Amino acid sequence: MKLLIAAAAILGGLLAGPVLAQETRPFEAGNGTIGVPVKPLRIVSLHDLSITLPLVEFGATDLVVGSHGRLEEDKVPYIRGAKELYETSFENTDIVFLGVFNQIDLELIAGLEPDLIIGRFGNDNDVLPNLEKIAPTVLLDQDKLGFFGSMQAVADLGGVLPEYDRQFARYQAQIAEFKRLVPNPADISIAILQPWPEDGYIAANKEYYALSQVLDDVGFSKPDLIAEISDSSLDMSPEFLPEVDADFIFSTYEGLYPDQRSPDEIRAAFEKVVPGYCTVLQACRNNQMVFIPRTPIYSSSFRSLTTAYQQVLTHVAGRAFVPLAK
Amino acid sequence: MNMIAPPAVTVRTGRWLGLPLAMGIVAATLCLHIALGAKFVPLDVVFEALTHRDPANFNHTIVWDLRLPRALVAIIVGASLSVAGALMQGVTRNPLAEPGILGLMAGASFAVVFGIGMLGLAGNTAIPMMAAGGSLGAACLVYLISRWVPGGATPLTLTLAGAVVTAFLGALTSVAFLLRENAFDSYRVWLSGSLAGRDLSMLMTAGPVLIVALVVAFALARQITALAMGEEVALALGVRTGWLKAQLLVCVVALTAGSVALAGPLGFVGLVIPHAVRLFTGSDYRWIVPYSAVVGAGYLLAVDVAARMMFRPAEISTGIVTALIGAPIFVYLIRKRSR
């Protein structure tokens, strides 16, 4: 009997070997230097849009065992960004839904026996002590890393850095092509505005993930008020609407938001916040206000960057426009 | 002459003169509210906007479409919440009573959130109705809890029951948020109490109800004075206390629900204003109620000016400012009461 138990223990040890005895390396994270597995096999992601999605994009879907997600109206969980861009969901993968924003189920994470947990510095600090008891936990300081730095870090952690490098090089070529087609982008101003009618303000966005990254990389200018924002966006008083007028204004609609499902609903929202907004904005008067779907140009992914690139190229480089009087 | 005048006459004269004076101050604050805001609009342009509106001039749009509706909402909500607080303090003989502390606002907010997020109800009729239902439900719950505990519905048990119901409904509101994260993104600021984004359409629905409730409150004020002296005294003076309480409950629910529908849960207005007013009027509700209405309107106008100007070009929720002012006063009142 003792022999049988010993044999079972040895067999169990051999099977668990890859997880228990992984080779590790140091990784500089927002929460310090963390020893992470060189080749992780069971990753838990604490944010769908900025962590799970890049892993899916770089071909590491099979490594993700659990992810934060959101709930559709019928309460079905989904992975924002991954669903829209890659049709990757909790249903068609082995990824387990861990909970919605700031409501992650720690017991569920522990049960998944991850060898690496990736979260966001600032957002997940409160649960860090418990997460560290489960597996090495890396909290990425996304503000510090920036758009590409964050994606690169996720790719690095997932062991799929070469795929990131390949896609990054392709993106750089796209930007170079854009600059060839639009020789003086700094002369063109673009604002990203979003109305919030029930709360009575307009979000003036300095950063808007993939869309603003493309605009910045090409070298377009922003209205001064937006350029001077210290944060990623400003919940601006509607009284300042003329100050954020630009050659082009981009606003987004989002099918998942009940009151923002279409360009018409966004136009109505603008009208509610500022009656007669279209006469105030020269971009609107001249039909240079562009309404595009949000998640495809908003996510942390190269596919979003490409979509944003194509949208901006079509709307800005592809036609004559009436410039804003300086 | 003044020296020989009886004090009662002096006080009465002061009260009569004080009311138009307070209304004058409110009118001045209204002008200030329209003239000042996140963006600087020169006074002559404000005047021009009011007298000769040019639809193509954005400054005129600011005055007419952004500031004026907001000012009107501030006036009616400030008056309504203050009067609601005064009525509740009179009926319950609880100086800490107000719609926020006794759970009515949490009830109204929860009902609105639940109705919009879970039932898909929205619109200018549905929202005030939902708010009224939630407010009434919360009021009944608070009353039942305070009656159920040993000692009955004392000021202390009412306050504690209000805190319990507020916390409970707050938790339910959070659950609703979690389940429908996307549906409520548009209501983040509204839930902290805000006058931003208000147009006249909701005011057209909720406004008449609030005005009727205010008139009823004025009419019942004399009887509240008797009730505030104690149930026995009121009965001895011929007041039908049960009927009066029922009328006042409807009145308070209507005032709270209409206010929440218009501006979300604005805390502490109903607490601060009646106490400030009592310093001048004494304990006579014939004066407390109208003064609360006038001073409350002016107070919310002034607070909203501050909310729009403090962090320009952004604006902060008016509810944040009312809480910043109201919370210390609440603590002061508790301290004063415990002595």
Side-chain angles (χ1 to χ4, degrees):
Chain A
M1 185 63 185
K2 279 182 182 174
L3 201 67
L4 209 64
I5 292 169
I10 290 165
L11 195 65
L14 285 173
L15 289 173
V19 175
L20 295 177
Q22 282 175 313
E23 190 187 346
T24 61
R25 64 184 171 101
F27 185 90
E28 291 299 325
N31 54 322
T33 304
I34 312 296
V36 298
V38 174
K39 287 187 177 172
L41 299 171
R42 301 181 64 78
I43 300 174
V44 155
S45 157
L46 301 183
H47 191 232
D48 54 3
L49 206 54
S50 64
I51 298 168
T52 314
L53 172 60
L55 287 169
V56 168
E57 180 160 71
F58 302 140
T61 310
D62 292 346
L63 302 182
V64 185
V65 292
S67 172
H68 149 266
R70 328 227 171 178
L71 295 174
E72 292 188 44
E73 280 180 54
D74 52 7
K75 313 288 182 297
V76 174
Y78 68 97
I79 307 167
R80 188 175 176 193
K83 176 195 167 192
E84 294 89 343
L85 296 169
Y86 289 97
E87 293 178 7
T88 299
S89 66
F90 292 111
E91 285 169 347
N92 61 20
T93 63
D94 291 331
I95 301 172
V96 173
F97 172 56
L98 300 175
V100 294
F101 183 66
N102 282 348
Q103 297 292 321
I104 297 292
D105 188 333
L106 292 177
E107 286 187 28
L108 209 51
I109 294 178
L112 291 172
E113 297 181 353
D115 56 7
L116 178 63
I117 299 170
I118 311 174
R120 295 181 297 163
F121 186 71
N123 193 73
D124 300 316
N125 292 27
D126 289 349
V127 285
L128 180 63
N130 287 326
L131 292 172
E132 283 173 327
K133 290 172 193 163
I134 301 170
T137 304
V138 167
L139 298 187
L140 299 174
D141 189 343
Q142 294 178 327
D143 288 340
K144 205 169 156 185
L145 290 167
F147 186 87
F148 289 112
S150 297
M151 279 207 291
Q152 188 180 32
V154 172
D156 187 11
L157 287 163
V160 283
L161 203 49
E163 181 58 19
Y164 166 84
D165 291 336
R166 189 188 70 77
Q167 297 210 29
F168 185 68
R170 183 168 160 268
Y171 172 71
Q172 297 291 69
Q174 286 175 331
I175 293 300
E177 173 65 3
F178 203 133
K179 286 178 175 171
R180 185 185 70 77
L181 294 167
V182 183
N184 298 307
D187 294 342
I188 300 171
S189 61
I190 298 181
I192 306 170
L193 305 179
Q194 204 62 31
W196 292 94
E198 298 307 325
D199 290 337
Y201 69 85
I202 290 167
N205 297 284
K206 187 176 185 180
E207 289 167 22
Y208 208 70
Y209 290 85
L211 177 60
S212 62
Q213 191 63 48
V214 168
L215 298 177
D216 290 347
D217 288 343
V218 172
F220 291 114
S221 62
K222 302 178 178 71
D224 289 345
L225 198 144
I226 296 178
E228 289 160 10
I229 297 171
S230 55
D231 255 334
S232 60
S233 73
L234 170 74
D235 294 349
M236 185 187 73
S237 163
E239 295 187 6
F240 282 91
L241 187 64
E243 319 288 320
V244 290
D245 199 0
D247 292 320
F248 289 91
I249 293 174
F250 280 79
S251 287
T252 62
Y253 56 92
E254 172 62 67
L256 297 164
Y257 282 67
D259 53 352
Q260 301 179 19
R261 287 205 166 107
S262 67
D264 278 348
E265 289 189 355
I266 300 300
R267 287 189 193 97
F270 266 112
E271 186 64 32
K272 185 162 188 283
V273 178
V274 182
Y277 79 99
C278 203
T279 56
V280 177
L281 298 171
Q282 87 89 36
C284 186
R285 286 197 305 272
N286 293 293
N287 208 18
Q288 286 156 211
M289 211 160 165
V290 181
F291 298 91
I292 49 178
R294 186 175 308 158
T295 300
I297 53 84
Y298 182 82
S299 310
S300 298
S301 89
F302 282 103
R303 186 164 284 187
S304 268
L305 288 166
T306 299
T307 308
Y309 159 79
Q310 287 166 344
Q311 290 278 355
V312 179
L313 192 69
T314 305
H315 287 287
V316 178
R319 62 163 159 153
F321 64 92
V322 181
L324 179 69
K326 297 284 189 291
Chain B
M1 187 72 179
N2 282 342
M3 288 176 71
I4 56 166
V9 174
T10 313
V11 169
R12 205 182 311 143
T13 309
R15 284 169 179 166
W16 275 115
L17 290 176
L19 209 51
L21 182 70
M23 289 168 88
I25 293 170
V26 171
T29 316
L30 172 65
C31 295
L32 206 66
H33 191 282
I34 294 167
L36 300 175
K39 189 183 177 188
F40 173 71
V41 180
L43 280 178
D44 58 320
V45 176
V46 173
F47 186 74
E48 185 189 71
L50 291 170
T51 52
H52 300 91
R53 184 181 184 184
D54 173 8
N57 186 329
F58 185 63
N59 284 331
H60 293 195
T61 302
I62 289 177
V63 170
W64 276 100
D65 294 328
L66 300 181
R67 293 184 184 173
L68 205 56
R70 193 169 170 150
L72 294 176
V73 171
I75 287 172
I76 194 134
V77 169
S80 299
L81 289 177
S82 303
V83 169
L87 299 185
M88 291 176 85
Q89 287 162 22
V91 175
T92 62
R93 290 196 286 155
N94 179 357
L96 303 178
E98 68 118 14
I101 290 166
L102 290 197
L104 273 72
M105 252 179 214
S109 305
F110 168 70
V112 171
V113 163
F114 185 81
I116 292 172
M118 301 297 166
L119 307 177
L121 297 171
N124 291 345
T125 310
I127 289 177
M129 296 296 285
M130 290 185 290
S135 185
L136 181 62
C140 293
L141 200 57
V142 168
Y143 181 70
L144 287 174
I145 292 171
S146 62
R147 282 296 300 264
W148 178 65
V149 297
T154 64
L156 178 65
T157 55
L158 275 170
T159 308
L160 291 175
V164 167
V165 169
T166 299
F168 178 68
L169 293 173
L172 288 182
T173 305
S174 300
V175 170
F177 258 85
L178 285 174
L179 293 175
R180 292 294 312 280
E181 201 179 339
N182 297 339
F184 295 116
D185 243 20
S186 310
Y187 291 87
R188 279 183 300 127
V189 179
W190 178 84
L191 268 173
S192 63
S194 173
L195 298 173
R198 301 304 104 191
D199 57 22
L200 289 176
S201 60
M202 180 66 86
L203 189 62
M204 294 301 173
T205 310
V209 177
L210 291 172
I211 290 167
V212 169
L214 285 170
V215 171
V216 172
F218 296 155
L220 297 175
R222 179 192 291 270
Q223 297 177 69
I224 302 168
T225 308
L227 194 60
M229 287 189 282
E231 191 109 8
E232 296 79 10
V233 177
L235 283 168
L237 290 171
V239 176
R240 293 161 62 201
T241 55
W243 173 234
L244 176 62
K245 284 178 182 174
Q247 287 174 294
L248 290 172
L249 175 66
V250 172
C251 209
V252 166
V253 165
L255 291 170
T256 306
S259 300
V260 171
L262 279 167
L266 281 167
F268 295 108
V269 178
L271 179 77
V272 172
I273 300 304
H275 281 285
V277 162
R278 271 192 205 94
L279 296 174
F280 180 69
T281 62
S283 55
D284 188 341
Y285 276 81
R286 286 174 304 173
W287 294 103
I288 291 173
V289 172
Y291 265 101
S292 290
V294 175
V295 176
Y299 171 74
L300 204 54
L301 276 170
V303 164
D304 194 45
V305 172
R308 289 183 299 146
M309 294 187 69
M310 281 162 79
F311 296 101
R312 356 178 1 259
E315 294 175 354
I316 57 168
S317 299
T318 319
I320 293 174
V321 184
T322 60
L324 284 173
I325 298 169
I329 295 174
F330 182 61
V331 173
Y332 165 77
L333 289 170
I334 292 173
R335 261 185 70 84
K336 193 178 165 196
R337 190 169 167 73
S338 64
R339 278 181 192 151

